[in-house]
Amino acid sequence: MRFFYLYTINLIHMKSRTISELLSQDIIIPEVEIKGWVRTFRANRFIALNDGSTINNIQCVVNFENFDEALLKRITTGAAICVKGELVESQGKGQKVEIQVNELTILGDSDPETYPIQPKKHSFEFLRDNAHLRTRTNTFSAVMRLRSALSFAIHKYFNENGFYYMHAPIITGSDAEGAGEMFQVTSLDTKNPPLNDAGNVDYSKDFFGKETNLTVSGQLEAETYAMSLGKVYTFGPTFRAENSNTSRHLAEFWMIEPEVAFMDLAGNMDLAEDFMKSVITYILENNREDLEFLDNRLQDEDKTKPQAERSDMTLIEKLTFVTDNNFKRVSYTEAIDILRNCKLNKKKKFKYLIDEWGTDLQSEHERYLVEKHFKCPVILFDYPANIKAFYMRLNDDGKTVRAMDILFPGIGEIVGGAQREERLDVLKQRMAAINIPEEDLWWYLDLRKYGTAVHSGFGLGFERLVMFATGMSNIRDVIPFPRTPQNAEF
Amino acid sequence: MRFFYLYTINLIHMKSRTISELLSQDIIIPEVEIKGWVRTFRANRFIALNDGSTINNIQCVVNFENFDEALLKRITTGAAICVKGELVESQGKGQKVEIQVNELTILGDSDPETYPIQPKKHSFEFLRDNAHLRTRTNTFSAVMRLRSALSFAIHKYFNENGFYYMHAPIITGSDAEGAGEMFQVTSLDTKNPPLNDAGNVDYSKDFFGKETNLTVSGQLEAETYAMSLGKVYTFGPTFRAENSNTSRHLAEFWMIEPEVAFMDLAGNMDLAEDFMKSVITYILENNREDLEFLDNRLQDEDKTKPQAERSDMTLIEKLTFVTDNNFKRVSYTEAIDILRNCKLNKKKKFKYLIDEWGTDLQSEHERYLVEKHFKCPVILFDYPANIKAFYMRLNDDGKTVRAMDILFPGIGEIVGGAQREERLDVLKQRMAAINIPEEDLWWYLDLRKYGTAVHSGFGLGFERLVMFATGMSNIRDVIPFPRTPQNAEF
């Protein structure tokens, strides 16, 4: 039996603390005060109290004979309460310590007839409609604590490795990257916009004196900072006005984009692998309880599925699959050979069959390479130029570019990056080929005019990372208030 | 004389390193390789090389007899080069070590005839037009490194104190806060928008099925997370479509907004003071060289001004003024008494004279309180309700709210916060008084219906903090690519 002793230092005497702090105590504390929200109240005696600091509730034991019945009736799911009492070793199972309650105050009632978050399983669809309350459930509080931890791990990694954080602009004056449909940003009267002589909307009268949109990527601006500060990264919101109502698309999502001067594609792969391993190691070390909760949730869910649809790996196994394996580096050309000749392709089991070099890979192919063929995370590189962006460095073969994609189990592509085209003449040719006027990117071209150098970077969709790290299957469930077609509530 | 010894471990043998790393060496290294951009090249012999990792250049000494004249001509300001050589103790003044160059490669030329960033003083206006190159100057590289360090210090502070980072939505469906003019976000054809029967723009046909705008604050959404996760903060972009062409306004800026359940206004003041001291201490400890550079820059600039316009404090004195003083807590009512009776007011030296309770304070009043009267940072609290937002908690006097502003030297208000109105009936009355329909904020009201509790938070405009920490006087010079009326370049 553990040794308990009385802790009487004044400093922590009656200070209000978090449940996370109390649950890590190994001592009896004569007087503690804690505030939180009631999860359940059973047998008129046991309150499971949560304050968001941890997935775990603290058990508060009420001797109902000492309290007014009217007060006890107000201890309902969702009510905010303050309890004072003694922190003691728990007699029951499931917790090390509990609070013997001496005083109890209702801070805010929660009408059990109308409170949406009942102590039962709610569908994720229902909880999306109540996104302002869904972090009061175990699943969503765990997901959002992990989202926060991953954010911090990202900043910590870059800070420790000499990178500077740069805020790329959100409102931009050009659709230069052509990465997809953009949202327009305007202050004009949309009902009666000013028109110019040609009868078009006169954007010179708009706030910025020109047509402006929400950014699709901060990469090009990050390159300007890499070519002066050396190693930089962005971490900010990006937008797509694509009308895609799927479990993998958001109109507003967060992206991480490091960019490094004097680094080639091999260095880029080293960086991306080290970075991904580092942030996942961080949550394995710092967020074990939340991960174990989500792991169990997924295993329970799996049991309800037919054998063929169940996961090969548990959540934590997937995370250690990333941290414990070397990422296999394979050229696109090799990958196509493997895929073309594999059984699934020959037996026509792929939805999209692979027959020739130059085709873009689908998630099913990426997952095959990772999960079945190599059995480790994979970095594909040297893609056909015509399926990649204009700013990627052209290889001497004239048909491939120094692009790379990182493929993960269960999810396929999670990181996309490239060595950038540093040669002014080649870059101009590639822009001309897809009709990007040089005037639109004069500042981007300047980087190649004045002190150009090899440089590289990559992009990571943050929500893809949170999905991978939490096992959530719908991207709307890993961002606080998802923006999707027909939905901008809250 | 310092002891130098040969360092021969293979690991760092010829590895490419940053200038920051090399300048911290106390040893001779027989072979180093470094890449960077030429700042100056003088006497055909001394290259000042910078790679952005530090404000300091490394001196690379070229024995011009060993190099081709054509090559030496290409060592111009802004050119990217790679040098290999021996790291030795410097014979000259101003640096501890220097590189004796054995090999030199031009990676990217920089035509001295056209390169915009010449080795001379450029005006900040000129550099704003060349914002893609301005971090190649000492001042802007120092500012942006400090911006990055402050960002990290903020994340570190909150992470260490049990806060969760939450990403508030950027695109929102309501102008509930009424904090100012908003930018509209739309996918409609602005020239020919669909109209409804009443002849108005039919936003049901827009991407989100309703009219949407860019957020002015993430506070209300942060409150939903505080009321489940306990302690949270946002750090993201916010927007104002105000046509203010001043040195203090941006259309796009970043804001930090912590929000804490069960915390009252006194706790909010404690948190804000501790937070501000912590992030400023962080840069004093970690970014000394950049701060000293900017401090000297300001002192030089001051010397060109008439005595009356010079600063009372240097930059670093201002920072330690914040870290070393307790913040004086003063009610708005006391402050009005002090201001009304002070000499400046009586002699009509304020631009805006203080004559009655209820008036809003201007920067000149705030600075008087901080710099002349209290001689320390000041927290004003309990402001008149009618000059503050509807969600601030009404005091029992019925005319003041539990608001607070933190005032800093030189700048005035830097933080604004409040205890939030947690009482459903009072909140509804205050919304009704300014005509905010309850349907618009149904989810915000839910927080008061289900488990409401005292909670508080504050907002800090990140660029205001960067201005304070760097001494820059125009807000356009502390964000990479400023967005202002008539300007969304890059």
Side-chain angles (χ1 to χ4, degrees):
Chain A
M1 190 182 153
R2 225 174 307 111
F3 177 64
F4 282 79
Y5 57 93
L6 282 173
Y7 199 95
T8 49
I9 292 173
N10 259 337
L11 253 178
I12 73 156
H13 184 75
M14 276 305 285
K15 188 187 149 231
S16 199
R17 269 166 292 190
T18 64
I19 290 172
S20 170
E21 285 162 359
L22 285 189
L23 290 179
S24 65
Q25 299 293 327
D26 253 355
I27 50 173
I28 292 174
I29 305 177
E31 286 184 272
V32 295
E33 177 187 292
I34 201 98
K35 291 167 183 163
W37 293 273
V38 175
R39 285 289 172 86
T40 56
F41 182 37
R42 78 188 154 80
N44 229 13
R45 190 172 174 83
F46 301 106
I47 303 170
L49 195 68
N50 191 282
D51 67 358
S53 63
T54 155
I55 188 97
N56 299 306
N57 305 320
I58 195 161
Q59 175 158 289
C60 305
V61 185
V62 180
N63 187 342
F64 55 80
E65 286 167 359
N66 299 342
F67 292 90
D68 197 58
E69 203 180 328
L71 182 82
L72 295 177
K73 278 201 172 147
R74 292 169 65 194
I75 305 173
T76 59
T77 298
I81 65 172
C82 175
V83 299
K84 294 180 186 176
E86 191 180 358
L87 188 76
V88 298
E89 191 178 11
S90 177
Q91 303 304 311
K93 282 196 304 183
Q95 62 274 323
K96 207 169 63 176
V97 292
E98 64 188 18
I99 297 174
Q100 291 289 345
V101 179
N102 297 323
E103 268 185 70
L104 190 151
T105 318
I106 306 286
L107 304 173
D109 290 287
S110 176
D111 181 352
E113 297 297 313
T114 60
Y115 185 52
I117 312 295
Q118 295 294 320
K120 60 157 196 165
K121 260 211 181 334
H122 292 285
S123 75
F124 287 165
E125 292 75 15
F126 172 83
L127 291 172
R128 261 170 240 148
D129 291 337
N130 288 281
H132 63 309
L133 300 175
R134 67 179 173 170
T135 37
R136 297 182 182 197
T137 67
N138 283 331
T139 299
F140 284 93
S141 68
V143 167
M144 294 306 165
R145 276 189 297 268
L146 279 162
R147 184 179 167 106
S148 172
L150 286 165
S151 297
F152 186 72
I154 289 164
H155 286 299
K156 182 169 178 280
Y157 177 86
F158 286 126
N159 185 65
E160 285 173 354
N161 286 283
F163 284 70
Y164 300 111
Y165 181 31
M166 77 89 75
H167 291 112
I170 311 300
I171 298 171
T172 72
S174 60
D175 178 13
E177 220 203 321
E181 291 175 66
M182 298 176 95
F183 288 105
Q184 194 184 337
V185 175
T186 182
S187 297
L188 294 177
D189 176 356
T190 27
K191 192 178 159 187
N192 295 303
L195 300 179
N196 57 24
D197 293 342
N200 294 318
V201 175
D202 184 2
Y203 286 108
S204 73
K205 301 234 165 60
D206 206 349
F207 189 93
F208 296 107
K210 64 199 271 193
E211 191 172 351
T212 50
N213 299 297
L214 289 178
T215 185
V216 295
S217 161
Q219 178 202 315
L220 305 192
E221 289 88 356
E223 284 186 53
T224 70
Y225 268 48
M227 296 309 281
S228 51
L229 297 178
K231 295 193 269 188
V232 302
Y233 71 106
T234 71
F235 187 169
T238 49
F239 305 85
R240 295 277 191 291
E242 274 170 60
N243 204 355
S244 301
N245 232 329
T246 81
S247 61
R248 292 163 58 99
H249 289 87
L250 288 171
E252 172 181 315
F253 56 98
W254 287 67
M255 199 137 70
I256 296 107
E257 298 180 287
E259 196 69 35
V260 182
F262 312 121
M263 184 176 77
D264 62 11
L265 191 69
N268 206 14
M269 293 191 221
D270 292 343
L271 173 66
E273 178 171 348
D274 190 51
F275 166 74
M276 295 300 284
K277 284 178 168 169
S278 167
V279 298
I280 289 171
T281 300
Y282 181 90
I283 56 168
L284 284 169
E285 287 174 355
N286 291 279
N287 298 73
R288 201 73 195 190
E289 289 176 330
D290 285 327
L291 286 174
E292 281 168 2
F293 173 84
L294 292 170
D295 198 330
N296 290 332
R297 191 193 79 76
L298 282 170
Q299 291 185 47
D300 289 347
E301 195 181 82
D302 246 19
K303 285 176 196 151
T304 69
K305 292 181 183 170
Q307 189 72 39
E309 289 173 28
R310 294 184 192 173
S311 305
D312 288 347
M313 289 184 263
T314 69
L315 176 61
I316 290 175
E317 282 168 358
K318 261 191 227 171
L319 300 180
T320 52
F321 180 85
V322 168
T323 55
D324 294 358
N325 281 304
N326 288 326
F327 292 13
K328 176 75 182 173
R329 300 174 189 197
V330 186
S331 77
Y332 167 88
T333 302
E334 288 174 80
I336 285 289
D337 278 345
I338 292 165
L339 289 167
R340 191 158 35 194
N341 296 317
C342 79
K343 275 189 192 164
L344 283 180
N345 198 55
K346 291 191 165 164
K347 293 189 173 171
K348 310 204 175 201
K349 291 284 170 71
F350 282 140
K351 192 172 164 203
Y352 297 91
L353 294 181
I354 299 286
D355 57 355
E356 62 182 20
W357 191 96
T359 189
D360 209 354
L361 301 186
Q362 304 297 323
S363 183
E364 58 179 339
H365 310 128
E366 295 169 342
R367 292 186 58 186
Y368 174 83
L369 291 170
V370 172
E371 295 164 29
K372 306 295 177 198
H373 188 84
F374 290 110
K375 295 184 169 53
C376 65
V378 171
I379 310 183
L380 294 191
F381 63 91
D382 284 353
Y383 277 80
N386 57 359
I387 59 170
K388 290 289 182 184
F390 74 91
Y391 48 69
M392 297 185 175
R393 194 184 192 284
L394 198 64
N395 278 311
D396 292 341
D397 63 16
K399 63 177 190 174
T400 60
V401 288
R402 303 243 74 193
M404 66 163 193
D405 282 356
I406 299 186
L407 316 180
F408 267 20
I411 195 165
E413 185 206 327
I414 190 160
V415 163
Q419 186 175 319
R420 314 309 184 188
E421 184 53 76
E422 86 281 13
R423 297 163 299 182
L424 182 63
D425 51 347
V426 181
L427 185 59
K428 281 181 173 178
Q429 283 162 24
R430 299 207 63 205
M431 284 169 60
I434 53 168
N435 299 313
I436 299 178
E438 290 182 17
E439 313 83 91
D440 282 12
L441 286 182
W442 64 273
W443 50 274
Y444 191 66
L445 291 170
D446 266 6
L447 303 179
R448 280 73 183 170
K449 270 187 205 155
Y450 305 116
T452 193
V454 163
H455 63 289
S456 303
F458 62 83
L460 166 67
F462 184 53
E463 282 73 21
R464 300 295 295 280
L465 175 63
V466 183
M467 285 174 82
F468 179 75
T470 60
M472 300 297 280
S473 56
N474 192 316
I475 199 165
R476 297 164 200 221
D477 296 332
V478 299
I479 191 167
F481 297 99
R483 295 324 189 204
T484 53
Q486 302 300 309
N487 180 31
E489 193 59 81
F490 309 103
Chain B
M1 191 183 151
R2 223 174 310 110
F3 178 63
F4 281 78
Y5 58 92
L6 283 173
Y7 198 96
T8 49
I9 292 174
N10 259 337
L11 253 178
I12 73 157
H13 184 76
M14 279 301 288
K15 187 186 152 234
S16 199
R17 266 165 294 191
T18 63
I19 290 172
S20 171
E21 284 162 358
L22 285 188
L23 291 178
S24 65
Q25 299 292 329
D26 254 355
I27 50 171
I28 291 175
I29 305 178
E31 288 183 88
V32 295
E33 176 187 292
I34 201 98
K35 292 167 183 163
W37 293 273
V38 175
R39 284 292 171 84
T40 56
F41 182 37
R42 77 189 156 79
N44 230 11
R45 188 169 176 84
F46 302 104
I47 303 170
L49 194 68
N50 192 282
D51 66 358
S53 63
T54 155
I55 188 99
N56 299 306
N57 305 322
I58 195 159
Q59 176 160 287
C60 305
V61 185
V62 179
N63 188 342
F64 54 80
E65 289 168 356
N66 299 342
F67 293 90
D68 196 59
E69 204 179 331
L71 182 81
L72 295 175
K73 278 201 171 148
R74 293 168 65 194
I75 305 174
T76 59
T77 298
I81 65 172
C82 175
V83 300
K84 294 180 187 178
E86 191 179 0
L87 187 76
V88 299
E89 193 176 13
S90 177
Q91 303 305 312
K93 280 196 307 181
Q95 62 276 323
K96 208 169 62 175
V97 292
E98 64 188 21
I99 297 175
Q100 292 288 345
V101 178
N102 298 324
E103 266 184 73
L104 191 151
T105 317
I106 307 286
L107 303 174
D109 289 288
S110 175
D111 181 353
E113 299 298 314
T114 59
Y115 185 52
I117 311 295
Q118 295 294 322
K120 61 160 196 161
K121 257 207 181 338
H122 292 284
S123 75
F124 287 166
E125 291 76 14
F126 172 82
L127 291 172
R128 259 169 243 147
D129 290 338
N130 290 279
H132 62 310
L133 300 175
R134 68 178 172 170
T135 36
R136 297 182 181 198
T137 68
N138 283 332
T139 299
F140 284 93
S141 67
V143 168
M144 294 305 165
R145 275 190 296 268
L146 279 162
R147 185 178 165 105
S148 172
L150 286 165
S151 296
F152 186 71
I154 289 164
H155 286 298
K156 181 169 178 282
Y157 178 86
F158 286 126
N159 185 64
E160 286 173 353
N161 286 281
F163 285 70
Y164 300 110
Y165 181 30
M166 76 91 74
H167 291 113
I170 310 301
I171 299 172
T172 71
S174 61
D175 178 15
E177 223 202 321
E181 290 175 69
M182 298 175 93
F183 289 106
Q184 194 184 333
V185 175
T186 182
S187 299
L188 294 177
D189 175 357
T190 28
K191 192 177 159 192
N192 294 303
L195 301 179
N196 56 24
D197 293 342
N200 294 317
V201 175
D202 183 4
Y203 287 108
S204 74
K205 301 234 164 63
D206 206 348
F207 188 93
F208 297 107
K210 64 200 267 191
E211 192 172 351
T212 50
N213 299 296
L214 289 178
T215 185
V216 295
S217 160
Q219 177 203 316
L220 305 194
E221 287 88 356
E223 284 185 53
T224 70
Y225 268 48
M227 296 308 278
S228 50
L229 298 178
K231 296 194 269 188
V232 302
Y233 71 107
T234 72
F235 187 169
T238 50
F239 306 84
R240 295 278 190 289
E242 275 171 60
N243 203 357
S244 300
N245 232 328
T246 81
S247 61
R248 292 163 56 97
H249 288 87
L250 289 172
E252 172 181 315
F253 56 100
W254 287 66
M255 196 135 73
I256 296 105
E257 298 180 286
E259 196 69 34
V260 182
F262 312 121
M263 185 176 78
D264 62 12
L265 190 68
N268 206 14
M269 293 191 220
D270 292 343
L271 173 66
E273 177 170 349
D274 190 52
F275 166 73
M276 295 300 285
K277 285 179 167 168
S278 168
V279 299
I280 289 171
T281 300
Y282 180 91
I283 57 168
L284 284 168
E285 287 174 356
N286 291 279
N287 299 74
R288 201 74 194 189
E289 289 176 330
D290 286 327
L291 286 174
E292 281 168 2
F293 173 84
L294 293 170
D295 198 331
N296 289 332
R297 190 193 78 76
L298 281 170
Q299 289 184 51
D300 289 347
E301 194 182 83
D302 245 20
K303 285 176 195 149
T304 68
K305 293 180 182 171
Q307 188 73 40
E309 288 172 30
R310 294 184 193 173
S311 305
D312 289 346
M313 288 184 265
T314 68
L315 177 61
I316 288 173
E317 283 168 356
K318 261 192 226 169
L319 300 181
T320 51
F321 180 86
V322 168
T323 55
D324 294 358
N325 281 304
N326 290 326
F327 293 13
K328 176 77 181 170
R329 301 173 189 199
V330 186
S331 77
Y332 166 90
T333 302
E334 289 173 79
I336 285 289
D337 278 347
I338 292 165
L339 290 166
R340 190 156 40 191
N341 297 317
C342 79
K343 276 189 190 163
L344 285 179
N345 198 54
K346 289 188 167 165
K347 292 189 173 171
K348 309 203 177 198
K349 292 282 170 70
F350 282 141
K351 192 171 165 208
Y352 298 91
L353 295 180
I354 298 287
D355 58 355
E356 60 181 23
W357 190 95
T359 189
D360 209 355
L361 301 185
Q362 303 295 325
S363 182
E364 58 179 339
H365 310 128
E366 295 170 342
R367 292 187 56 184
Y368 173 83
L369 292 170
V370 171
E371 294 163 29
K372 306 296 176 197
H373 188 85
F374 290 110
K375 296 184 168 54
C376 64
V378 171
I379 310 181
L380 294 190
F381 63 91
D382 284 352
Y383 277 81
N386 56 2
I387 59 171
K388 290 289 181 183
F390 73 92
Y391 50 69
M392 298 185 174
R393 194 185 192 283
L394 198 63
N395 278 310
D396 291 341
D397 62 14
K399 63 177 190 176
T400 60
V401 287
R402 303 244 73 191
M404 67 164 195
D405 281 357
I406 300 186
L407 316 180
F408 268 20
I411 194 165
E413 185 207 326
I414 190 159
V415 163
Q419 185 175 319
R420 315 307 184 188
E421 183 55 75
E422 86 281 13
R423 297 163 298 183
L424 183 63
D425 52 345
V426 181
L427 185 60
K428 281 182 173 179
Q429 284 162 25
R430 299 207 62 207
M431 284 168 60
I434 53 170
N435 298 316
I436 300 179
E438 290 182 18
E439 313 81 90
D440 282 11
L441 287 181
W442 64 274
W443 50 275
Y444 191 65
L445 291 170
D446 265 7
L447 303 179
R448 281 73 182 169
K449 270 188 207 156
Y450 305 116
T452 193
V454 163
H455 63 289
S456 302
F458 62 83
L460 166 67
F462 184 54
E463 283 72 22
R464 300 295 294 280
L465 175 63
V466 183
M467 287 174 82
F468 179 76
T470 60
M472 300 299 279
S473 56
N474 192 316
I475 198 165
R476 296 164 201 221
D477 296 332
V478 299
I479 191 167
F481 298 99
R483 290 340 189 190
T484 54
Q486 301 301 309
N487 179 32
E489 192 60 81
F490 308 104

